[in-house]
Every structure is written in structure tokens, then in C-alpha cells.
Amino acid sequence: DAKTTQPPSMDCAEGRAANLPCNHSTISGNEYVYWYRQIHSQGPQYIIHGLKNNETNEMASLIITEDRKSSTLILPHATLRDTAVYYCIVRLKTSYDKVIFGPGTSLSVIP
Amino acid sequence: EAQVTQNPRYLITVTGKKLTVTCSQNMNHEYMSWYRQDPGLGLRQIYYSMNVEVTDKGDVPEGYKVSRKEKRNFPLILESPSPNQTSLYFCASSFRRYGGTELMNTEAFFGQGTRLTVV
């Protein structure tokens, strides 16, 4: 079973911020939260990851709650090209391990 | 250019005819893995490899074999394909880099996918 739960779908107006939630209530102290997205049936693309502090890069921001049981991926100004399935996963910080993806959130950016 | 290359991109085959899907990465990554993707089920890991000659089962290994004889290659073998293995397959690779004194997992790079149909 996936270690994360996400809403199956969301809509966002073009130009507005898209906030995608993820629950990972059983996350352990040595696990990171990673976000990927998949456009159509292309290979998934890495977006961002974090341990406990908020992170930002050129693509998105990641907000992780203080108890680390949930996180939110923020696309600050969504464009039509951000329409994709977004996956939140948890992964061990240092060891190689099995990786479990859930069904993800299908984000539709609407003109 | 750093990339993960899968071949073939599309394949139609018949039940029982052995096939191999190749995966190659040019980034000297230690970790490689195979996923299958079916509608509504997201990505499910089939097998993964932590280094040469080190492999382990993912969530859905039945009906598949892998080998890791070289660091750059991680082929997926279907000895006797069946129609329920019709799916979209992805190969991925990653590595670990030092963050302070610890080796930390990095993001994964995915191939462009292989769409397999078994009739």
C-alpha cells in the first residue's frame, strides 16, 4: 500500500496558485517527501523534495507541516502546461529501498 | 545529455514469446528500477537494483525477471508474457550524494516509457 494519500483530482484556474495536498501520517524521521509529475504518458518528472523545512525551487514550493504528517505542493502561477498527474511519495533519506507510488492527483489547469 | 533510455518504445507481442525491454542510463547511477503503470493504479514498482548484481523485488514482481550485470544497464525480461502484462513500463535511475556527512538519496530520472501489448 502507498504510504501517502492524495485527492484523486483537482482543478485550478490558469494564473492562480495550485495547492496540492498530501497526507503521509506514518512517515518516519528518516524519510523524505518527494513530488513528481507525469504529463500525459511521459516518464515522471522530479519536482521537489524535503525533509522537514519548507523548500522552494524554480518549479514549485513544498510546505511540510511541523509534525511532518502532511505536505502541500504549491505551483505559484499555474499554466496550462502544468496539467498533469502529481505524485507524492516518501522515501528513505539514506538507504536504497522499495519505492511506492500511489494513484496521485490529476491536476487540470483551466483557462 | 543525462538520460535514461528504454527500448523499444512500443511493442506488440504474442502470449508466451519471451521478450526483453532494455534500459540504459549514462549517469553512473547505482539505483535502477522498473515500474508498470496501469489505468487508475499509478506506478507500481516491479524490481529494483541497488548496484551491480544486487536486485530485489518491488510490489509486483510476478512474471518478470531482471539482471544487473553492468551498472548502466537494467533489462526487464518477460519469460512468458501474458495479456495481463499489457501495460506501460518505465525504467528509472537515481544515486546518492553526500549531504554533510551522510549519503542522501537523490531524485529519480525516468525513461520515456515502453508501451507493451501482449495478445
Side-chain angles (χ1 to χ4, degrees), chain B residues 11-17 19 78 80-87 89 116-119:
Chain B
L11 179 60
I12 300 174
T13 190
V14 296
T15 299
K17 185 177 180 182
L19 67 91
L78 285 72
S80 183
S82 63
N84 65 11
Q85 292 177 298
T86 291
S87 189
Y89 291 86
L116 172 66
T117 301
V118 184
V119 298

Side-chain angles (χ1 to χ4, degrees), chain A residues 1 32 34 36 38 41-46 49 87 91-103, chain B residues 30-31 35 37 42-43 45 48 50 59 88 90 94-96 102-108 110-111 115:
Chain A
D1 289 343
Y32 272 111
Y34 284 78
Y36 291 83
Q38 185 178 25
S41 295
Q42 298 176 16
Q45 174 192 24
Y46 165 80
H49 74 281
Y87 298 98
R91 193 176 180 197
L92 285 173
K93 188 171 64 164
T94 57
S95 303
Y96 288 138
D97 61 335
K98 185 190 299 190
V99 179
I100 301 174
F101 282 77
Chain B
E30 290 178 330
Y31 186 93
Y35 299 85
Q37 185 170 36
L43 289 144
Q45 195 175 42
Y48 62 97
M50 292 165 277
D59 272 344
L88 179 59
F90 290 101
S94 65
F95 69 110
R96 293 179 294 180
E102 285 185 300
L103 271 174
M104 318 282 275
N105 274 316
T106 66
E107 68 272 23
F110 283 80
R115 191 169 290 281

Side-chain angles (χ1 to χ4, degrees), chain A residues 91 96, chain B residues 4 20-21 23-34 47-56 65-77 91-96:
Chain A
R91 193 176 180 197
Y96 288 138
Chain B
V4 178
T20 299
V21 184
C23 174
S24 179
Q25 49 93 5
N26 63 358
M27 296 168 280
N28 201 37
H29 285 176
E30 290 178 330
Y31 186 93
M32 297 185 73
S33 60
W34 277 102
Y47 269 96
Y48 62 97
S49 169
M50 292 165 277
N51 214 324
V52 175
E53 303 290 4
V54 183
T55 63
D56 207 348
K65 283 177 57 177
V66 292
S67 70
R68 188 91 181 272
K69 293 185 171 60
E70 306 167 278
K71 202 171 188 179
R72 65 182 293 126
N73 296 321
F74 190 44
L76 179 69
I77 303 157
C91 178
S93 73
S94 65
F95 69 110
R96 293 179 294 180

Side-chain angles (χ1 to χ4, degrees), chain A residues 10-106:
Chain A
M10 293 181 64
D11 292 339
C12 177
E14 188 178 17
R16 304 297 293 269
N19 297 291
L20 294 99
C22 179
N23 286 321
H24 30 80
S25 58
T26 60
I27 193 170
S28 66
N30 62 347
E31 287 179 315
Y32 272 111
V33 179
Y34 284 78
W35 283 83
Y36 291 83
R37 74 179 182 185
Q38 185 178 25
I39 297 172
H40 299 301
S41 295
Q42 298 176 16
Q45 174 192 24
Y46 165 80
I47 302 172
I48 197 167
H49 74 281
L51 185 63
K52 56 184 176 181
N53 299 318
N54 298 340
E55 302 287 345
T56 295
N57 62 20
E58 64 279 3
M59 290 181 70
S61 295
L62 175 61
I63 308 297
I64 302 174
T65 57
E66 195 167 337
D67 63 8
R68 301 188 69 238
K69 293 185 177 182
S70 65
S71 60
T72 300
L73 179 75
I74 301 172
L75 308 177
H77 305 287
T79 70
L80 299 178
R81 287 175 296 179
D82 292 321
T83 292
V85 177
Y86 287 78
Y87 298 98
C88 163
I89 67 169
V90 295
R91 193 176 180 197
L92 285 173
K93 188 171 64 164
T94 57
S95 303
Y96 288 138
D97 61 335
K98 185 190 299 190
V99 179
I100 301 174
F101 282 77
T105 296
S106 178

